Amino acid sequence: AWGVASGSLSPYWVVVGAAFLLGILGVLPIGGADMPVVISLLNSLSGVAAATAGFVIGNSALIIGGALVGAAGLILTMQMGEAMNRSLGNVLFSGFGGASTAGEMSDKPVNRATADDVAIALAYADRVVVVPGYGLAVAQAQHATRDLGEALEDRDVIVTYAIHPVAGRMPGHMNVLLAEADVPYEQLLDLDQSNPQFPQTDVVLIVGANDVVNPTARDEPDSPIYGMPILEVDEARTVVVVKRSLSPGFAGIDNPLFYFDKTMMLFADGKAAMEDILKALKEL
């Protein structure tokens, strides 16, 4: 109304600038682990904006379409919040994960492994569960991981993939990547399907996942991620973690899983590690 009354574009640019600052300042304090929830919320708000524009110009199709996008985005946002055991208000205003605690990493020793060590562990397993994470996406390791899985199946090893609902940047991120690599859909198991299998699993192969397998979410009430459902990989006989370093995940906290006696740490790029393991496996 101000712009129409003044006959100038200046008020418009003032509003645009204010919206720009509000968007940045509102999202900046939110930790990386919560960003998938925020992105989903912003997608929902884009539908609300479209519906509002439909009211302004009197376009029924725009109103209906915007309302559907807004409602679907809000439902997805709420479901993601439930998957992380966090309310929307807590995500937006708590500043969770905003400060990295990389300087507070544990100095305990880890069991460093080579590709040959991992190949031997996988070759003599009856059941292997692969847990993909954001590191797999960054390294574009989905095809190499699929190739390794097929090589294990040729050795009569049962291979499945445990998918956490908020692994990666968006819900379904890991499902899309593995589907792109032609991993059979029936091998992709969700959180509730995967957790009962871990006690009977010989080797869990974690490729770039961190917070979604952090046992502090289950065991330590003081942890920032306490209460978030996790993949309980620590119940398997052997855990192999493929990771570039011991740096914390999106939540900015250390993962005690890395220091367990049963855990083997393979420090490497995800794709290179999968290729090296596959090569070593074929030489056994």
Side-chain angles (χ1 to χ4, degrees):
W2 175 26
V4 172
S6 64
S8 170
L9 286 177
S10 297
Y12 169 77
W13 291 115
V14 170
V15 173
V16 170
F20 181 74
L21 289 175
L22 180 62
I24 293 178
L25 296 177
V27 173
L28 194 61
I30 298 174
D34 289 332
M35 281 311 297
V37 182
V38 176
I39 293 172
S40 178
L41 177 63
L42 295 177
N43 286 337
S44 174
L45 294 179
S46 70
V48 174
T52 303
F55 280 110
V56 172
I57 65 176
N59 188 316
S60 299
L62 195 57
I63 294 172
I64 296 172
L68 291 174
V69 171
L74 184 59
I75 292 172
L76 178 60
T77 301
M78 300 305 294
Q79 289 182 334
M80 292 174 65
E82 290 177 4
M84 298 179 68
N85 195 35
R86 293 167 62 73
S87 67
L88 184 58
N90 193 250
V91 168
L92 295 175
F93 304 115
S94 69
F96 166 82
S100 174
T101 58
E104 303 174 7
M105 298 296 293
S106 171
D107 57 359
K108 294 185 294 184
V110 298
N111 297 321
R112 291 177 177 265
T114 65
D116 291 332
D117 297 329
V118 176
I120 291 172
L122 294 173
Y124 292 98
D126 291 323
R127 181 184 295 272
V128 172
V129 176
V130 180
V131 178
Y134 183 61
L136 177 141
V138 172
Q140 290 293 293
Q142 61 269 29
H143 294 280
T145 302
R146 185 273 320 273
D147 293 341
L148 177 59
E150 290 181 344
L152 290 172
E153 290 175 341
D154 290 340
R155 290 174 170 262
D156 296 325
V157 178
I158 300 173
V159 179
T160 57
Y161 298 77
I163 311 297
H164 193 282
V166 294
R169 287 293 192 184
M170 288 291 290
H173 192 177
M174 296 301 104
N175 298 75
V176 171
L177 289 178
L178 294 174
E180 175 195 339
D182 295 326
V183 174
Y185 178 76
E186 59 271 13
Q187 292 183 356
L188 305 181
L189 307 182
D190 62 23
L191 185 78
D192 294 333
Q193 293 172 312
S194 300
N195 279 340
Q197 293 191 9
F198 288 127
Q200 292 80 43
T201 298
D202 297 301
V203 180
V204 170
L205 178 59
I206 301 171
V207 188
N210 193 335
D211 295 328
V212 298
V213 295
N214 192 330
T216 61
R218 180 193 62 211
D219 302 332
E220 298 183 14
D222 294 335
S223 172
I225 61 173
Y226 179 71
M228 183 182 83
I230 61 167
L231 292 165
E232 297 178 347
V233 298
D234 55 315
E235 295 186 358
R237 295 183 181 90
T238 301
V239 178
V240 176
V241 180
V242 176
K243 202 172 183 294
R244 291 179 181 271
S245 69
L246 286 174
S247 60
F250 291 145
I253 59 176
D254 197 10
N255 190 339
L257 176 70
F258 301 158
Y259 312 104
F260 288 179
D261 291 337
K262 67 168 67 176
T263 302
M264 303 166 62
M265 299 295 300
L266 176 55
F267 295 110
D269 170 82
K271 182 178 180 180
M274 295 298 102
E275 292 173 345
D276 289 344
I277 295 171
L278 178 58
K279 180 180 179 182
L281 183 68
K282 291 180 176 179
E283 293 175 352
L284 291 177

